[in-house]
Amino acid sequence: FFNDNGEWLQMDKVGHVFSAYNEASLVHDMYRWAGIRERKAMWLGIGAGMLAQSSIEVFDGFSDRWGFSWGDMVGNVAGLALFGVQQEAWHEQRFKLKVSSDFRSYSKAGILPLSGTQTDNLHRRAGELFSNNLPGRLLKDYNAQTYWLSFNPTDFTSRGKWPNWLNISVGYSGENLFGGYGNAWTYQDHTYQLDDRQFSRYRQYLLSFDLDLTRIPCRSPFLKTILRVLNIFKIPAPALEINSLGKVKGHWIYF
C-alpha cells in the first residue's frame, strides 16, 4: 500500500475521478447503442470503469516504485458515483467531466544543485516526470492539465434563451509541480531544489465557457460518435482564474 494523498496538489486524484467517470459513461453509451436496456447498460458501464481503474491499483500494489492507493480508489468511486447517480436520477449526464491541456514546453536554462556545478533543467525534469511524447504529456503533465465540471443551465430551467450547446465550466488545476510533495529531486547524485519564490506551487480555480459537442445537430452516425468521444475534452475559451496565491487573472483563451 502507498499513501500518496498529499502529492501533486491532488491533481492525480481528480484525474482518477475524471477517468472512472468517462470510462463508465462511454461504455454505457456503447451498450445503449447495442440495444441493452438503460439500467443494465448503466451498471455495465460502472463495472467496466471499476475493473479498469482497480486493475491499475492492483498492478501498482506489486510495483517496486508505487503501491495500492486508497486515495486513488476513492477518486475512482467518486467518478463512478457521479455517473451513476446522474444516470439514475435523470437518465442523462447533466454534469460532465472534461479535461484540457496546454501542452507546454519547459525551460532548458541551467539549474545549479545544492552543492556542485553540474546543472539540470526543467525540460529534462519534466520529461522524466511526464515523458516527452504527446500522449504522455496529456495523461501525466499536471502543470498543463485542467479538469472541468461542465454543465448547461437549460438542463435545470426552461426560462431564458441560453443555447443548449453552450456550457458553463468550473475548472481545477495546479501550477509549478515538479515533484509529488515539493520541487526537489536528485539527478546523477546531485540534489536540486527550485526557489519557492520563483516557482511557488499553487492551486488554480477557473470559470469558463465550453461547447457540448453532443448537442451539435448532426445526421451522420459516424460523426456523432466522433463528437461524443471528443466531448471529453474542454474547448479552449476565455476564462477567469482565482488561485491560492490570492490572485485573480483573466485569460483571453485558456487551454
Side-chain angles (χ1 to χ4, degrees):
F1 292 92
F2 179 68
N3 184 357
D4 60 348
N5 293 336
E7 292 189 356
W8 306 108
L9 299 183
Q10 291 75 51
M11 278 293 291
D12 57 327
K13 301 297 177 280
V14 181
H16 277 271
V17 178
F18 165 83
S19 298
Y21 168 83
N22 279 290
E23 286 163 0
S25 182
L26 288 166
V27 171
H28 161 270
D29 289 357
M30 179 185 71
Y31 278 112
R32 287 294 290 156
W33 172 84
I36 302 298
R37 58 187 175 85
E38 165 61 33
R39 192 175 180 84
K40 185 176 182 180
M42 179 189 74
W43 284 109
L44 285 168
I46 291 173
M50 179 57 76
L51 177 63
Q53 292 300 306
S54 59
S55 297
I56 294 173
E57 291 309 315
V58 171
F59 283 124
D60 281 350
F62 290 94
S63 169
D64 292 334
R65 294 184 60 192
W66 314 114
F68 185 99
S69 168
W70 285 110
D72 289 353
M73 285 302 297
V74 170
N76 297 334
V77 172
L80 298 174
L82 178 63
F83 165 76
V85 168
Q86 291 189 88
Q87 205 63 38
E88 185 73 11
W90 300 316
H91 305 292
E92 64 179 355
Q93 297 297 300
R94 296 185 181 183
F95 293 99
K96 299 178 174 69
L97 288 181
K98 300 191 175 189
V99 67
S100 65
S101 178
D102 57 29
F103 301 108
R104 68 186 59 183
S105 58
Y106 291 93
S107 172
K108 295 183 179 180
I111 301 171
L112 285 171
L114 296 180
S115 62
T117 58
Q118 179 176 319
T119 62
D120 197 5
N121 60 75
L122 292 182
H123 176 78
R124 191 213 63 82
R125 175 61 175 167
E128 177 183 47
L129 289 172
F130 314 130
S131 85
N132 285 316
N133 57 60
L134 191 62
R137 284 293 175 88
L138 177 63
L139 291 171
K140 299 179 180 180
D141 191 345
Y142 298 131
N143 295 306
Q145 289 175 356
T146 304
Y147 291 101
W148 303 87
L149 185 70
S150 183
F151 64 94
N152 192 289
T154 61
D155 288 335
F156 303 96
T157 178
S158 58
R159 299 178 181 178
K161 297 182 179 180
W162 189 275
N164 71 345
W165 46 265
L166 182 61
N167 282 13
I168 296 173
S169 288
V170 179
Y172 174 72
S173 186
E175 192 63 65
N176 290 327
L177 305 179
F178 296 100
Y181 289 101
N183 291 332
W185 68 90
T186 300
Y187 175 60
Q188 293 187 351
D189 298 325
H190 289 78
T191 300
Y192 298 84
Q193 172 73 59
L194 295 180
D195 186 345
D196 288 337
R197 294 168 297 180
Q198 184 180 0
F199 296 96
S200 297
R201 295 161 67 95
Y202 63 91
R203 303 174 191 271
Q204 298 167 288
Y205 307 96
L206 299 120
L207 182 65
S208 182
F209 295 109
D210 185 32
L211 298 181
D212 188 340
L213 300 179
T214 63
R215 291 181 173 177
I216 295 176
C218 176
R219 294 183 178 181
S220 167
F222 175 75
L223 187 55
K224 283 183 178 180
T225 301
I226 296 297
L227 292 175
R228 170 63 184 89
V229 174
L230 291 178
N231 207 44
I232 69 173
F233 300 105
K234 162 81 166 58
I235 300 298
L240 177 68
E241 171 190 336
I242 302 175
N243 60 49
S244 60
L245 298 178
K247 297 181 179 180
V248 178
K249 296 182 180 179
H251 302 269
W252 288 109
I253 292 290
Y254 186 94
F255 289 86

